[in-house]
Amino acid sequence: MAINSSAIRTSQLRKFYDVPEREAGLGAAIKSLVKRRTKQVKAVDGVTFEVAPGEVVGFLGPNGAGKTTTLKMLSGLLYPTSGELRVLGHLPEKREREFLRRITLVMGNRNQLVWDIPALDSFELNRSIYGLPEAEFKRTRDEFIELLELGPLVQKPVRNLSLGERMKMEIAGALLHRPQMLFLDEPTLGLDVTMQKRIRHFIAEYNRRTGATVLLTSHYMADVEALCKRVIVIHHGQILFDGGLSGLVERFSAYKTIGFTLDNGDVDLSIYGEVRERDGGRVALRVPKADTSRVTAQLLTDLPVEDLTVEDAPIEDVIERVFAQELPKETAP
Amino acid sequence: MKPMLDFYLTNMKTAIVVEFQYRVAAYFYMIGMVAEPVIYLVVWTTIARAQGGSVGGYTPGQFAAYYIVWTLVRNMNIVFTPYGWEGRIRRGELSAMLMQPLHPLHRDVSWFAGWKFVVILLWLPIAVALYLAFQPTLDPTPLEIAVFLIAIWGAYLIRTMLLWALGMISFWTTRVNALFELYFTVELLISGRLVPLSLMPEWAQTLANFLPFKYAFGFPIEALVGQLTPPQLLSGLFLQSFWIVAGLVLVQVMWRAGVRKFTAVGG
C-alpha cells in the first residue's frame, strides 16, 4: 500500500503515562506528601498499522488493552509519547479545523446531544457548528432518519429516549457532516440485539454510500463479523494480530468442532474427542485442529454417522483465547 | 463571519428553548438571587433614614434605583461557573467539544447570551414589584441608557473571560472552589456588588479602578442611575473594551496550555 494513499498510518506509536502510586493508609498518605512515587504505564507500546480509505477495520482487545487510547490519539484527543501518526494526511494532535470537519468519534458511553430538547434541535445545532449548507444538511438528516428509523423519535426530548434510541440519535448527529473517517468506540454497548443489528446495518450502509473509513472497537463479535473483513487485535498496548477475520480463527483456534447425527445413542464418543453437546442423535465433538482429518475418517469408518460437518470454533471462543494468554507478537502483513 | 453568526443565533435559540423548559426552576433561582440586593437595600435605606435622609449622597430612592438595576446587571453577568469546569473535564464533555471545529468559548458566550433573554423576561415582573415596593429615583438620559445597554453586554463578556480563566485552572487542579471563593469575596467588595463603590474608602475606589471587577458590575449600574458624567461613561466603555481584550488574551493563553495538558494525560 502506498503510504500517501492510507487513511490511517501509524508507526511505532506509543503512549506512556506516569501514574501516582502509593500504599493504603495514613502513613503512606503522609509519606506521599514528601516523596511522590509514580509508575509508568505503557498504554500503547509501539503500534504500527495502516488502514486504506474505505476499509472497515475491527479494533479488538480486552479492557485496558490500549484500544481507546489509540482511538484518542488517532482523533487528536491525546498527544502520542512518540511515534508517527497521520490520519487523512493530517497530524491529529494539531486538531486543525479541516481535520475535525473530516472525522468523527463516537463513544458508546458519552452523550453529545443536548439532553433536554428534541434531537432535531441538536441536529440543527450541529448544522451550524459545521457550517453545512441547508439543503445538504436536510438531505443527509432525512436520509439518516429513514435509515435508522428515527421518524417519530426525533421530536422527543433526548432524555425521554431509551438507551438504544439515544445511541441511534448520537450516531446520526455525529455523522451529519458526512465525515470521511469514523472512529467508533463501542457503538452498540448495552443495546439489545435488534438495536445492535440496526446500527450495524447503518454503519455498513454509510460506508457503502460514502466510502468512509471506519475503525470500530466492540466487545460484541457479531458487530465485528458483520462489518469488518479485517481485524487488529491489541493487547498490553501491542498488536497481536493484524489480518482477516478468518486468518484470526485459523491462527489462534486450536480446535475444530465436528458435528454429526448418530442413530445409536449408546456409543462412547470420548475416545474421539471432547463431547460438547449431545442432543438426541445430534452430537458436537471438539477435537484438536491437527487431529481433525484423522478423527473424521475414524468416525466415518467406525460409526454410522450422517450429516457430518467440520466447523471452526466460534469467533467468541477464539477471541477469548487470544485475550486469555500471552502470545507471540505478529508483525503487520 | 456569516457561519459564526449563524452558529451564535442557533445556539442562542437552543438555549432559549432549553431554559423555557425549566422556567419554574429559573424563577426560584431568580427569587433567591433577588434576596441578596433586597437585603443590601433594606440595610442601606435604614442607615440613610437614620442619618437624616442620605448616605454618601445616596437617598433611599437612589439606593432603590441602584439595587433594582443591580438585579438586571446580575442576571446579565451570570456566566459558566468554574464549578462546571471540573464536571466538563471529568464527564468527557470537553472531549466532545474538542472534536468539533469550534472554540468552546463561542458555545458558552452564545449559550448564556440566549439564556439572558429568558431570564430578563422572567425578571420583568420582579422588577415591577421591586419598583412598586421601593420607589426608586431613576431618571436616566438617552446617553446613559445607550451606555447602559452596551455596558451590560460588556460586563457579561468581562465576567465570562474572568470565570473561564478561573475555571480553566481545573486543567491543573480539580480544586478550584477555594479560588472561586476568593474571587467572590474580592468581587463582592470592590465591584459595587455589596455597596456602591463611591461609599467605599478612597483606597478601595482607587484599587477598583485598576481591576476588572468594577467593569463587570458597578459600572453599568452607575451608568444608568446617573452617577457618572458623559466623559466617565465613555471612558468606562473604553476600559470595558480593554478588559474584554485582556481577558480574551488570558483565556487563549490558558486554553492552549490547558488543552496541551489535557491531551497529554487524557480526558
Side-chain angles (χ1 to χ4, degrees):
Chain A
M1 189 191 302
I3 283 175
N4 57 9
S5 69
S6 303
I8 300 174
R9 181 168 61 86
T10 76
S11 174
Q12 291 301 311
L13 192 63
R14 289 189 170 82
K15 183 68 194 179
F16 297 167
Y17 298 107
D18 285 327
V19 181
E21 193 183 51
R22 71 167 175 83
E23 285 158 19
L26 183 64
I30 293 167
K31 217 166 118 186
S32 74
L33 288 174
V34 185
K35 196 178 175 190
R36 200 178 155 100
R37 217 169 60 201
T38 57
K39 184 181 131 191
Q40 191 175 64
V41 174
K42 296 179 177 179
V44 174
D45 189 11
V47 163
T48 300
F49 66 90
E50 286 187 29
V51 177
E55 254 194 300
V56 183
V57 178
F59 202 46
L60 310 179
N63 292 333
K67 301 186 300 290
T68 303
T69 302
T70 306
L71 281 195
K72 284 185 172 179
M73 285 194 280
L74 294 172
S75 56
L77 279 180
L78 271 180
Y79 279 134
T81 304
S82 66
E84 283 182 34
L85 173 62
R86 283 282 185 284
V87 176
L88 300 174
H90 295 266
L91 203 57
E93 67 200 51
K94 284 188 165 179
R95 293 185 18 262
E96 296 155 312
R97 287 193 178 174
E98 190 47 37
F99 171 68
L100 296 174
R101 281 177 194 283
R102 297 173 72 194
I103 69 158
T104 199
L105 169 67
V106 177
M107 301 184 112
N109 54 352
R110 301 252 169 103
N111 298 315
Q112 297 185 30
L113 301 174
V114 183
W115 192 249
D116 300 302
I117 54 174
L120 219 46
D121 289 333
S122 282
F123 292 169
E124 182 64 19
L125 194 58
N126 279 9
R127 178 200 61 72
S128 70
I129 289 171
Y130 287 93
L132 305 174
E134 192 70 33
E136 184 189 314
F137 161 72
K138 281 188 176 157
R139 200 167 47 243
T140 309
R141 183 195 66 189
D142 295 345
E143 184 187 340
F144 289 177
I145 287 175
E146 192 192 327
L147 269 174
L148 281 164
E149 295 177 358
L150 299 175
L153 305 173
V154 286
Q155 288 170 344
K156 281 166 107 178
V158 171
R159 67 181 137 84
N160 292 345
L161 300 176
S162 71
L163 179 67
E165 290 168 344
R166 216 157 54 221
M167 197 59 219
K168 288 200 294 185
M169 292 295 179
E170 289 283 346
I171 290 177
L175 300 186
L176 280 172
H177 59 292
R178 290 200 171 259
Q180 291 157 268
M181 170 64 66
L182 276 58
F183 297 112
L184 307 176
D185 193 14
E186 305 280 357
T188 56
L189 189 71
L191 308 188
D192 66 38
V193 179
T194 317
M195 210 61 92
Q196 285 179 27
K197 273 173 102 170
R198 173 64 54 197
I199 287 176
R200 260 179 239 140
H201 170 74
F202 176 75
I203 295 166
E205 193 57 27
Y206 182 85
N207 165 258
R208 193 186 65 76
R209 290 187 189 187
T210 65
T213 311
V214 182
L215 193 60
L216 164 100
T217 80
S218 180
H219 285 297
Y220 301 121
M221 284 309 120
D223 287 350
V224 179
E225 284 182 292
L227 291 167
C228 314
K229 286 197 181 77
R230 175 183 165 198
V231 292
I232 296 173
V233 180
I234 186 170
H235 198 11
H236 295 304
Q238 297 184 325
I239 290 182
L240 286 182
F241 177 84
D242 182 353
L245 199 55
S246 53
L248 179 74
V249 175
E250 184 63 34
R251 182 172 149 77
F252 291 109
S253 173
Y255 296 92
K256 288 209 178 204
T257 302
I258 305 175
F260 52 88
T261 306
L262 192 64
D263 284 342
N264 183 355
D266 298 334
V267 180
D268 177 15
L269 294 169
S270 61
I271 55 165
Y272 299 99
E274 185 191 340
V275 180
R276 298 294 297 242
E277 199 182 311
R278 197 159 186 171
D279 183 13
R282 192 69 199 160
V283 180
L285 205 63
R286 194 170 85 153
V287 296
K289 202 159 69 176
D291 296 342
T292 314
S293 307
R294 185 184 57 76
V295 174
T296 307
Q298 207 175 340
L299 281 167
L300 289 167
T301 311
D302 297 350
L303 304 168
V305 298
E306 289 173 9
D307 302 331
L308 186 136
T309 56
V310 178
E311 287 171 6
D312 282 317
I315 186 75
E316 281 84 356
D317 291 359
V318 178
I319 290 291
E320 194 182 326
R321 184 178 144 77
V322 175
F323 291 175
Q325 48 190 291
E326 299 298 324
L327 292 163
K329 258 202 293 182
E330 184 188 89
T331 50
Chain B
M1 195 65 197
K2 201 179 160 205
M4 191 56 89
L5 181 67
D6 175 33
F7 168 73
Y8 265 74
L9 292 176
T10 310
N11 204 30
M12 284 168 75
K13 201 173 73 187
T14 310
I16 290 170
V17 171
V18 171
E19 291 311 322
F20 265 125
Q21 291 206 28
Y22 292 103
R23 55 198 174 275
V24 177
Y27 235 112
F28 279 114
Y29 177 77
M30 201 176 299
I31 289 167
M33 188 268 285
V34 164
E36 184 187 339
V38 167
I39 292 167
Y40 302 151
L41 177 55
V42 170
V43 170
W44 284 108
T45 306
T46 310
I47 295 171
R49 290 210 174 101
Q51 291 197 357
S54 74
V55 180
Y58 274 86
T59 62
Q62 284 169 320
F63 273 123
Y66 189 92
Y67 286 110
I68 292 171
V69 177
W70 186 108
T71 58
L72 178 58
V73 172
R74 178 73 189 107
N75 272 323
M76 283 303 296
N77 68 23
I78 287 174
V79 298
F80 190 77
T81 69
Y83 298 125
W85 274 89
E86 189 190 329
R88 189 172 256 188
I89 291 171
R90 204 183 51 237
R91 285 194 299 271
E93 290 163 15
L94 189 70
S95 295
M97 288 177 181
L98 287 172
M99 292 307 300
Q100 293 179 331
L102 183 83
H103 196 303
L105 181 65
H106 292 299
R107 268 182 175 270
D108 284 353
V109 171
S110 53
W111 183 273
F112 282 90
W115 193 79
K116 308 293 174 211
F117 289 97
V118 180
V119 290
I120 288 170
L121 201 66
L122 298 178
W123 167 83
L124 284 171
I126 292 179
V128 171
L130 290 173
Y131 184 91
L132 294 173
F134 293 101
Q135 301 292 316
T137 310
L138 192 61
D139 186 21
T141 64
L143 177 67
E144 285 167 345
I145 293 171
V147 169
F148 174 75
L149 290 176
I150 299 168
I152 49 174
W153 288 101
Y156 167 57
L157 290 177
I158 293 170
R159 208 158 181 271
T160 298
M161 302 305 162
L162 289 176
L163 293 190
W164 242 66
L166 201 57
M168 277 193 288
I169 294 172
S170 303
F171 279 123
W172 293 274
T173 170
T174 49
R175 304 285 172 90
V176 289
N177 300 7
L179 278 170
F180 189 35
E181 292 297 326
L182 181 66
Y183 171 93
F184 180 73
T185 308
V186 174
E187 183 187 72
L188 199 64
L189 292 172
I190 56 168
S191 72
R193 177 171 178 160
L194 181 70
V195 55
L197 273 169
S198 58
L199 301 185
M200 295 290 281
E202 196 65 32
W203 65 266
Q205 291 184 47
T206 309
L207 183 65
N209 286 335
F210 291 98
L211 293 170
F213 308 102
K214 159 182 163 177
Y215 298 95
F217 224 118
F219 168 66
I221 304 175
E222 289 173 8
L224 193 70
V225 299
Q227 298 293 317
L228 303 174
T229 62
Q232 283 175 320
L233 288 172
L234 297 178
S235 75
L237 285 183
F238 172 78
L239 284 164
Q240 273 198 324
S241 311
F242 167 79
W243 284 115
I244 292 167
V245 173
L248 198 56
V249 171
L250 177 67
V251 161
Q252 269 305 84
V253 170
M254 287 186 72
W255 171 251
R256 284 199 186 136
V259 168
R260 207 173 301 126
K261 169 84 165 56
F262 181 74
T263 52
V265 297

